[in-house]
Amino acid sequence: MPEIFLHKIRKIILENIENDKFGVSDLAEKLNLSRSQLLRKIKADADISANQYIRDIRLEQAVELLKKAELNASEIAYKTGFSSPSYFNKCFHEKFGYTPGDFKRNREKLEPEPEKKNIKINRGWYWMGAALAICTLLAFFIFNILVAEKKEVAKYKSIAVLPLLDLSENKNKDFLSIGLTDAITLQLSHLKGLRVISRGSSMLYRDSLQLYSEIARKLGVDLLLEGSIIYGGDSLRVTVQLIHPYPQEGHVWANSYDQRATNILQLSHDISSQIAKEIHFVLNRDQNKASQRQFSAEALESYLRGKMLWQKQNPESVEDAIQYLNEAIKLEPDFAQAYCTLAEAYMSKNKMFPGNNEEKLKNKMQSKNAINHALNRALELDGSLAEAYITKGMMLRKIDWDWEGMKKMAEKGLQLNPNNKDGYMLLSDYYLVKGMLKKSIQNALLAEDYDPLNPRIGCLVAERYMYAGLYEEAIRQYRKVFELYPRYSFAWDGVGFAHFLNGDKEQAKNSWLELHKTMGNNHMAEYFQQNDFNNSVNYIISKFAAGDKLYCSNPPIIAMAHILVNRKEGALKYLEIAREYRNEDLPVLMLSPVFEPLYSEERYLGLANQLNVSINHQLIN
C-alpha cells in the first residue's frame, strides 16, 4: 500500500532529521532499494520528487519547532537538517510564502493548514470505477480547452514509454515488466498523429538517474510515460503516470490498475486507451479485436519470456526464445502475436547461423519455410497485425530479394502502425536499390525519428549519406553514434569507408584499427598501427577466410576490402560468391560507392541486373 510505504519513509527521515547530509541515496540504502527505484516509487505514490519529499518533511518538522518560542530560526534550520539558515529561509518561503521569522511573529494568522497528503490509496474495484469516471471527466474538460482552437488539438505530438520498474518483492518478473512495456508501446503506436519512440531507445533509460527533461530532450519527445509493476500471486498492480517535462516538469495524468495477471493484454489496452482520452487522441478504429483476447497465464508467460529472450539477440537466447514461443502456441494455437514473434526469432537465428556458406544457404531455405508458416498463420488470425507485414517484408528483402513485394508489405505495415521504425528501414532499402537516394535518406531519417538512440539506425543514416556522396555528413553522423556507443564496431567499420571515400586513407586505417580493438583482434590492431594503408588492407585480406582466427566470412565485405587496394578480380570473385549463396547483405553493399571502379565491368553490371538493383547513383549536392 502506498500509504504504508510513505509512512515508513517519513519515519526514516525523521530519525535522521538533523543530518544535513542525509539524502536520497541514504534513504534508498535504508529501504534496500536502488536509487532509481526509490525516485520513481516516490513519484508514483506521492506525486513529487524524492528530494522535494525529504525537504517537505524537514519543513513540516520546522513548523512544529517554530511553535516553540525557545528556539530561533537559525537553531531550527540546523535541527531540521538544513545546511545553512539562509537556505532554510529560502525553502521555507518557497513552500509557505513567508519567512520563518514572519511565522514566529504572526503564528496565529500564518500557521499553514494541515496538508492533505498526496497518497494513492487502493480503493478496490468500486473506487477504481469512480477514479476512471473522474479521469474521463477530466479528459473531457482538457479536450474542451484544447479544441478551443483547432490547431491546438495536436498539442502533444510524441511520447516515449520508459521501461516499467519491477517493484515486486522477489523482483523475478523482468520478462513481465519488459513485456508490458512493449505491449503499451505497441498499443500507443496505434494512436493517430502521435509519434511513439521505439522500445530500443527507451530501454536505454531503464534505472536511469537522469532528469525527465534530459531524457525527453535526448529522445526528442513531448511526453514520457513511466511507471512500475507489483506482482504477487495471480494479481498485478500497474502504476503509470504521464509526464510533460517542458518547460517545467508537470504531471498530465496518473493512474493505478489492479487486475489478475491473466489480463495483461487487456490491461495494456486499458492503459493506452485512458491515455488516449487524456491527451485527446483517438485510437485507430480498425484496431484488432484479437489483440484484446484473453489468453491463459501460462501461454502469456511463455510468450513474454520468449519475446524477452529474442530481444537479447544472441544465438543461445534466440534458441531458447523459439522454444518458449512454440510452447505459447501449443497452449494457445490462436495466439497471433506469438506466431509473429516466432517468425522474427527464426529470422534472427538465420542471421546468426555459424556455418560455412553452403550450410548457411541450406539453413536459409529451411528457415524460410518456418518463417512463412508462422507469418501466414499470424495474418490468418489477425489481418491487422502490422508487425507481421513488416516481418514478411524483411523476409522478402533478405531471402527473396523481392523489392516490390517488400515495399508492398512495408507500406501495409506502416499504414496499420506508422510508428514502426523497421518499416521505414525497409523503404530506405527499397529506394536505395532503385537509385532514389534522396527518398532513401528521408526514410532512414524517419526510422531514426522513431528510434533516435538506436546505433544500428544511426549507422544506417550515415551509410545512406555516404552512398549519396555526402561523406562529411556521413562522418558527422557516425560521430553521433560514437557519443553514445564508443565501442560500436559497425560504426568504426562504416566510418572507415567514409574516410576512404573522402580521400583520407590514414583516417580510414585508424578507424579500422579501432574496429579491431573493439572486437578484441589485438594482433590485427597492432599490425594496422605499424603499417601503412595498403599493407594493412592486403594483410587482412590474407587473413579474412583462412587461419585459426576467422576475421570475416562475409563475401561482400571481403570484396570491399579487395577493391580498396584495386584488386578488381578478387572483388568480383567474392561478389559472385555472395550471389551464389544468396548473401542477404549483397544487394545493398554492392551499391556502395566503394565499388565505383567496377561500374563499367560487365560482370558487375550482370550481377546488378540479376539482383534488380540500380547502380545509377545520383549524388545529392
Side-chain angles (χ1 to χ4, degrees):
M1 297 287 287
E3 63 271 24
I4 297 174
F5 176 71
L6 293 177
H7 177 76
K8 186 176 181 180
I9 289 178
R10 183 183 184 84
K11 184 172 182 292
I12 293 171
I13 294 169
L14 290 174
E15 288 172 354
N16 296 272
I17 194 73
E18 294 188 30
N19 181 3
D20 65 323
K21 305 296 184 186
F22 186 83
V24 177
S25 297
D26 305 289
L27 182 58
E29 184 178 348
K30 289 186 177 293
L31 289 165
N32 293 319
L33 294 173
S34 71
R35 179 184 168 91
S36 57
Q37 283 178 321
L38 177 64
L39 290 170
R40 293 196 183 173
K41 187 157 177 56
I42 289 180
K43 265 195 175 286
D45 292 346
D47 218 15
I48 57 176
S49 69
N51 279 322
Q52 186 181 341
Y53 191 75
I54 294 172
R55 187 168 64 246
D56 283 357
I57 291 177
R58 292 186 188 280
L59 290 170
E60 289 170 12
Q61 188 66 12
V63 169
E64 295 302 313
L65 293 176
L66 281 167
K67 294 176 184 177
K68 301 176 182 178
E70 65 271 14
L71 295 174
N72 61 40
S74 294
E75 291 171 324
I76 290 171
Y78 293 117
K79 287 191 72 68
T80 53
F82 287 90
S83 56
S84 70
S86 60
Y87 180 59
F88 170 57
N89 285 344
K90 176 179 179 292
C91 293
F92 197 95
H93 188 273
E94 285 178 356
K95 182 168 179 63
F96 300 117
Y98 42 80
T99 66
D102 289 337
F103 176 77
K104 278 188 72 71
R105 288 188 293 272
N106 303 281
R107 192 181 61 154
E108 291 183 2
K109 292 181 180 179
L110 298 179
E111 185 170 346
E113 295 180 8
E115 291 188 42
K116 294 180 181 179
K117 295 182 178 61
N118 189 6
I119 298 173
K120 296 181 181 176
I121 301 171
N122 182 3
R123 301 171 174 83
W125 286 108
Y126 175 83
W127 294 108
M128 176 63 72
L132 290 176
I134 292 170
C135 283
T136 303
L137 289 172
L138 178 60
F140 179 76
F141 176 71
I142 292 173
F143 176 83
N144 276 283
I145 293 174
L146 292 175
V147 299
E149 293 187 24
K150 237 178 181 181
K151 57 186 175 185
E152 294 251 12
V153 172
K155 181 178 179 181
Y156 301 124
K157 296 181 179 179
S158 54
I159 188 171
V161 181
L162 299 180
L164 300 182
L165 292 175
D166 182 5
L167 301 182
S168 308
E169 186 175 350
N170 294 329
K171 294 184 176 60
N172 62 346
K173 298 288 184 181
D174 255 8
F175 70 92
L176 184 57
S177 61
I178 292 172
L180 188 53
T181 302
D182 287 347
I184 295 171
T185 302
L186 178 60
Q187 292 287 345
L188 288 174
S189 70
H190 291 105
L191 292 170
K192 292 180 179 179
L194 185 66
R195 180 169 64 91
V196 182
I197 295 300
S198 175
R199 70 172 298 279
S201 290
S202 296
M203 283 298 291
L204 293 176
Y205 296 100
R206 193 177 189 188
D207 293 326
S208 173
L209 300 181
Q210 294 186 46
L211 296 173
Y212 287 128
S213 56
E214 184 65 14
I215 294 174
R217 183 186 66 79
K218 289 183 177 178
L219 292 173
V221 294
D222 305 316
L223 296 168
L224 295 173
L225 181 71
E226 64 97 54
S228 61
I229 70 167
I230 298 178
Y231 186 100
D234 64 349
S235 66
L236 176 70
R237 162 172 277 200
V238 179
T239 302
V240 291
Q241 58 180 338
L242 192 63
I243 299 165
H244 182 230
Y246 306 113
Q248 292 182 334
E249 185 178 305
H251 293 77
V252 179
W253 168 84
N255 211 342
S256 294
Y257 296 80
D258 295 272
Q259 291 192 19
R260 293 176 64 84
T262 53
N263 290 335
I264 293 169
L265 294 181
Q266 182 63 44
L267 177 61
S268 68
H269 177 262
D270 291 345
I271 294 170
S272 60
S273 296
Q274 188 62 32
I275 294 170
K277 292 176 185 177
E278 190 67 26
I279 59 177
H280 63 80
F281 282 112
V282 181
L283 275 172
N284 187 338
R285 299 196 183 280
D286 294 329
Q287 188 176 342
N288 170 39
K289 294 181 180 178
S291 67
Q292 302 174 28
R293 179 185 160 180
Q294 301 299 302
F295 295 109
S296 69
E298 294 83 0
L300 278 169
E301 180 163 334
S302 293
Y303 167 69
L304 292 175
R305 285 188 184 276
K307 187 168 185 179
M308 184 183 74
L309 287 165
W310 165 67
Q311 288 167 345
K312 289 184 177 181
Q313 288 294 295
N314 63 65
E316 295 78 15
S317 66
V318 168
E319 285 287 358
D320 291 340
I322 290 172
Q323 291 185 26
Y324 275 113
L325 293 166
N326 276 318
E327 181 63 26
I329 290 167
K330 182 178 179 182
L331 292 166
E332 295 284 355
D334 295 340
F335 201 159
Q337 289 170 306
Y339 282 105
C340 184
T341 307
L342 179 62
E344 292 171 325
Y346 279 127
M347 294 277 286
S348 298
K349 180 182 177 183
N350 175 61
K351 183 177 181 180
M352 298 172 186
F353 191 79
N356 59 38
N357 287 320
E358 289 184 1
E359 291 170 329
K360 286 181 178 180
L361 179 60
K362 182 179 178 181
N363 179 73
K364 191 188 297 279
M365 293 302 105
Q366 291 174 342
S367 296
K368 179 181 175 179
N369 294 331
I371 294 164
N372 260 328
H373 173 75
L375 289 175
N376 290 341
R377 183 62 176 146
L379 291 171
E380 178 186 332
L381 292 166
D382 180 1
S384 65
L385 192 59
E387 291 70 22
Y389 291 102
I390 299 291
T391 304
K392 197 170 185 68
M394 288 181 184
M395 186 194 72
L396 293 171
R397 178 248 185 267
K398 294 181 177 182
I399 298 178
D400 293 337
W401 299 336
D402 179 356
W403 309 118
E404 297 303 327
M406 176 196 78
K407 179 174 181 280
K408 182 179 178 180
M409 290 297 104
E411 289 176 339
K412 176 66 175 177
L414 288 171
Q415 182 183 0
L416 292 165
N417 178 5
N419 290 277
N420 192 305
K421 56 129 181 7
D422 293 314
Y424 296 110
M425 293 170 72
L426 289 177
L427 289 180
S428 180
D429 283 350
Y430 174 82
Y431 290 116
L432 177 70
V433 300
K434 295 302 178 183
M436 304 165 70
L437 297 178
K438 187 173 182 179
K439 296 189 78 170
S440 177
I441 291 173
Q442 289 171 344
N443 279 275
L445 289 170
L446 281 171
E448 188 179 45
D449 280 346
Y450 290 101
D451 201 353
L453 304 182
N454 186 322
R456 183 167 66 99
I457 297 177
C459 288
L460 176 76
V461 173
E463 179 191 81
R464 297 306 189 248
Y465 282 134
M466 182 168 59
Y467 280 28
L470 302 173
Y471 305 132
E472 292 289 347
E473 191 64 37
I475 292 167
R476 280 193 291 272
Q477 178 71 17
Y478 280 121
R479 285 173 181 160
K480 282 172 57 180
V481 175
F482 292 137
E483 287 175 10
L484 287 173
Y485 305 93
R487 294 181 57 81
Y488 193 63
S489 58
F490 290 105
W492 284 114
D493 189 38
V495 78
F497 285 106
H499 282 302
F500 171 82
L501 290 165
N502 203 34
D504 193 340
K505 290 186 177 182
E506 188 63 24
Q507 273 294 93
K509 188 196 74 164
N510 290 337
S511 299
W512 292 323
L513 185 155
E514 292 298 324
L515 165 67
H516 290 296
K517 282 184 180 178
T518 62
M519 298 181 70
N521 299 334
N522 296 326
H523 168 70
M524 193 62 69
E526 184 178 345
Y527 193 94
F528 268 64
Q529 195 163 21
Q530 295 175 356
N531 290 271
D532 64 15
F533 179 88
N534 279 16
N535 281 333
S536 297
V537 174
N538 280 314
Y539 183 72
I540 198 170
I541 288 173
S542 71
K543 299 292 184 181
F544 261 151
D548 296 332
K549 186 173 180 60
L550 191 64
Y551 287 97
C552 179
S553 61
N554 194 344
I557 298 295
I558 300 175
M560 293 177 82
H562 278 78
I563 206 67
L564 292 175
V565 286
N566 203 30
R567 293 166 65 168
K568 293 184 181 180
E569 180 59 33
L572 288 166
K573 171 188 172 184
Y574 277 98
L575 288 175
E576 288 166 345
I577 290 173
R579 169 64 184 87
E580 180 182 355
Y581 293 106
R582 300 194 68 80
N583 181 281
E584 69 178 50
D585 298 322
L586 174 62
V588 167
L589 287 181
M590 77 173 293
L591 294 177
S592 168
V594 169
F595 288 117
E596 189 173 349
L598 300 179
Y599 284 1
S600 60
E601 296 284 338
E602 287 187 12
R603 288 163 65 187
Y604 181 84
L605 295 172
L607 275 174
N609 187 55
Q610 291 176 43
L611 299 173
N612 194 22
V613 300
S614 171
I615 62 167
N616 296 318
H617 282 67
Q618 299 171 2
L619 302 186
I620 300 175
N621 296 318

